[in-house]
Amino acid sequence: MTRAEAHAAILAKFPDAIVRDGREGKEAGDPYLVVKAERLHDVVKWMKEDPGMRFEVLQCLSGVDYGKDLASVYHLDSWTNKVTVCLRVELPREKPEVASITDLYGAADWHEREAYDLLGITYTGHPKLVRILCAEDWVGYPLRKDYVFPKEYHGIKNDL
């Protein structure tokens, strides 16, 4: 299976769930499909469980700040079919929320917690969505482009 064939299968199965095909235009990086947040779990579950797809591995899940909006980006591998597919869910800055996929891929646990901690993306249904890098009383999300680092934290001055 090629990446184009995998994309075509996803588009055929979930035409109402795909917002945009990132293979179009002159965008840099891996080709990707933009998936509606409310349909992501359905799409990923089908990709993992369908005998013709068999995306057995969550290679990476990342939170990204694109300036205007945030995104959760998923790289899924089918070792059986020797193909990787990238999915992207675009989320509003005010309330970035998408379903957790920890029930499908155990590796999503830490990835989702990192994106939550550093960008403020909420993964609904996550079994323990807590900060893992910043202190529990840290204010804000350090990887957001509009984040302003505090001048002081618990008596430690930031002289930068």
Side-chain angles (χ1 to χ4, degrees):
M1 172 184 293
T2 67
R3 185 178 297 161
E5 290 169 336
H7 280 210
I10 297 164
L11 287 162
K13 177 73 177 176
F14 297 98
D16 62 323
I18 307 304
V19 176
R20 186 172 71 256
D21 186 340
R23 296 175 296 166
E24 301 167 356
K26 297 180 180 178
E27 298 182 53
D30 288 337
Y32 60 90
L33 296 173
V34 179
V35 180
K36 291 179 182 176
E38 62 272 14
R39 296 301 309 278
L40 175 78
H41 194 275
D42 297 333
V43 172
V44 173
K45 182 175 176 148
W46 176 78
M47 288 175 66
K48 182 178 184 182
E49 295 177 355
D50 183 87
M53 298 297 280
R54 298 193 59 193
F55 280 84
E56 305 100 339
V57 179
L58 171 65
Q59 182 187 97
C60 186
L61 186 163
S62 303
V64 182
D65 184 345
Y66 287 108
K68 183 180 176 210
D69 295 315
L70 302 176
S72 190
V73 180
Y74 307 79
H75 286 85
L76 301 166
D77 284 348
S78 172
W79 289 353
T80 301
N81 294 311
K82 298 177 179 53
V83 66
T84 300
V85 166
C86 179
L87 303 177
R88 185 162 100 182
V89 177
E90 296 171 344
L91 304 163
R93 293 184 84 74
E94 306 77 47
K95 191 176 179 189
E97 198 171 274
V98 63
S100 173
I101 61 167
T102 54
D103 61 317
L104 301 172
Y105 299 101
D109 180 26
W110 283 83
H111 292 283
E112 290 178 357
R113 288 171 66 188
E114 180 183 43
Y116 167 74
D117 191 7
L118 300 177
L119 288 157
I121 298 171
T122 299
Y123 293 89
T124 58
H126 189 284
K128 190 177 179 185
L129 195 60
V130 296
R131 296 198 110 142
I132 60 171
L133 297 169
C134 296
E136 287 182 25
D137 64 343
W138 194 266
V139 177
Y141 306 104
L143 288 185
R144 286 198 179 192
K145 292 182 177 184
D146 57 357
Y147 181 73
V148 178
F149 282 88
K151 299 278 184 208
E152 184 177 303
Y153 176 73
H154 290 286
I156 302 167
K157 293 188 189 278
N158 178 3
D159 293 331
L160 297 177

